[in-house]
Amino acid sequence: ENDWNKVKMADTNGSDGTYVIEDLPPGDYYLRTLVSGSDYLGEWWVESASVSNCNDAQMFTLPPGGSLINKDFQLSPGASVSGTVYQSNGSTPLTETRVSIQVISGDPCGEAFMSIPANASEGTYKITDLPAGTYYLRTSVSDASYSDEWWADATDCSAAESFTLDAGELLDDKNFQLTKILEGDINGNGEIELADAILSLKNAVEPGQKGISLTGDVGGDGEIGLVEGIYVLKILAPGN
């Protein structure tokens, strides 16, 4: 990113949008707008057209005793995306745990640049002030009993679906249906079954002797030294 420090600020003229920044020492500068109380995005100056990403900002040089004009901006309205986080049935809002929606651009497996909490009482969310572009969405759930998802219905970032926002556009119904992980559901299919089981066999020994434990890797396959399968164990009386 560009290395910059805020030197001066000036408000625009409310009637015609012009601005003047005075008493600047000579040097190299960047210009940026800060917008409040408006749907427009703050942007960085570039001669051809202002941009939202600081990495694309254009530097200019102010000579000793000099002045520069026509450092203009062309601000775009921010876009928005909204939706609801549901339980796995797709109709009941998820309100029992804290959920945030993360916005990702570029690589869906990359870092999120924005995270917005969903409404705790309704499960809804709305993300505003987004520049026009292509995005991915991902949930971040505080309760480990729920599995996170990428929009739409993807449990892996490589399967995430992107969407495109135009300047000022509002997209809604970007919804999620999160699945609650059942305790003991090791393979994550929503059911407790034999494939989730860990079988353990321990040989009988005399008191004080060290026994041998074998754990069955059912469906694994980590190999336990026994043929994997379903076993029935029966305690036999001495001599039987």
Side-chain angles (χ1 to χ4, degrees):
E1 294 186 357
N2 294 310
D3 184 18
W4 63 281
N5 294 300
K6 183 172 67 176
V7 178
K8 287 267 190 174
M9 292 185 65
D11 293 331
T12 56
N13 186 308
S15 62
D16 59 15
T18 58
Y19 72 92
V20 177
I21 303 175
E22 299 178 317
D23 301 324
L24 285 174
D28 296 328
Y29 294 96
Y30 297 93
L31 291 175
R32 180 193 185 197
T33 60
L34 297 174
V35 184
S36 61
S38 169
D39 292 332
Y40 285 91
L41 298 174
E43 296 192 356
W44 298 79
W45 178 81
V46 172
E47 188 169 7
S48 56
S50 51
V51 296
S52 59
N53 191 329
C54 64
N55 292 313
D56 299 325
Q58 180 178 340
M59 184 176 66
F60 65 91
T61 300
L62 183 65
S67 63
L68 298 174
I69 61 172
N70 298 328
K71 299 298 181 187
D72 301 329
F73 292 86
Q74 304 80 32
L75 301 188
S76 300
S80 303
V81 58
S82 64
T84 302
V85 182
Y86 293 105
Q87 298 180 25
S88 58
N89 60 17
S91 59
T92 305
L94 180 58
T95 58
E96 63 189 65
T97 187
R98 187 172 68 254
V99 182
S100 294
I101 309 301
Q102 298 181 341
V103 185
I104 304 167
S105 63
D107 181 3
C109 300
E111 294 294 325
F113 73 89
M114 184 182 293
S115 183
I116 300 295
N119 184 300
S121 62
E122 301 175 355
T124 57
Y125 74 91
K126 184 176 182 180
I127 302 170
T128 61
D129 299 330
L130 290 171
T134 300
Y135 298 98
Y136 299 89
L137 296 176
R138 178 183 184 270
T139 62
S140 178
V141 188
S142 61
D143 186 347
S145 64
Y146 283 91
S147 56
D148 285 318
E149 292 187 359
W150 281 259
W151 187 83
D153 296 327
T155 57
D156 186 85
C157 61
S158 61
E161 183 177 337
S162 66
F163 61 93
T164 299
L165 287 170
D166 295 326
E169 183 178 8
L170 170 61
L171 287 181
D172 54 13
D173 295 329
K174 298 299 181 187
N175 303 325
F176 293 87
Q177 300 83 39
L178 300 189
T179 300
K180 189 166 188 177
I181 303 171
L182 298 177
E183 185 176 355
D185 180 20
I186 295 174
N187 60 10
N189 68 352
E191 299 178 355
I192 305 297
E193 55 198 356
L194 285 176
D196 295 307
I198 298 175
L199 303 181
S200 181
L201 302 177
K202 184 174 183 180
N203 65 327
V205 296
E206 294 296 328
Q209 292 181 334
K210 184 177 181 181
I212 300 174
S213 294
L214 300 173
T215 300
D217 177 33
V218 178
D221 173 22
E223 297 186 359
I224 63 166
L226 293 174
V227 177
E228 293 181 6
I230 299 174
Y231 295 85
V232 177
L233 303 181
K234 184 177 181 180
I235 299 176
L236 300 178
N240 290 343

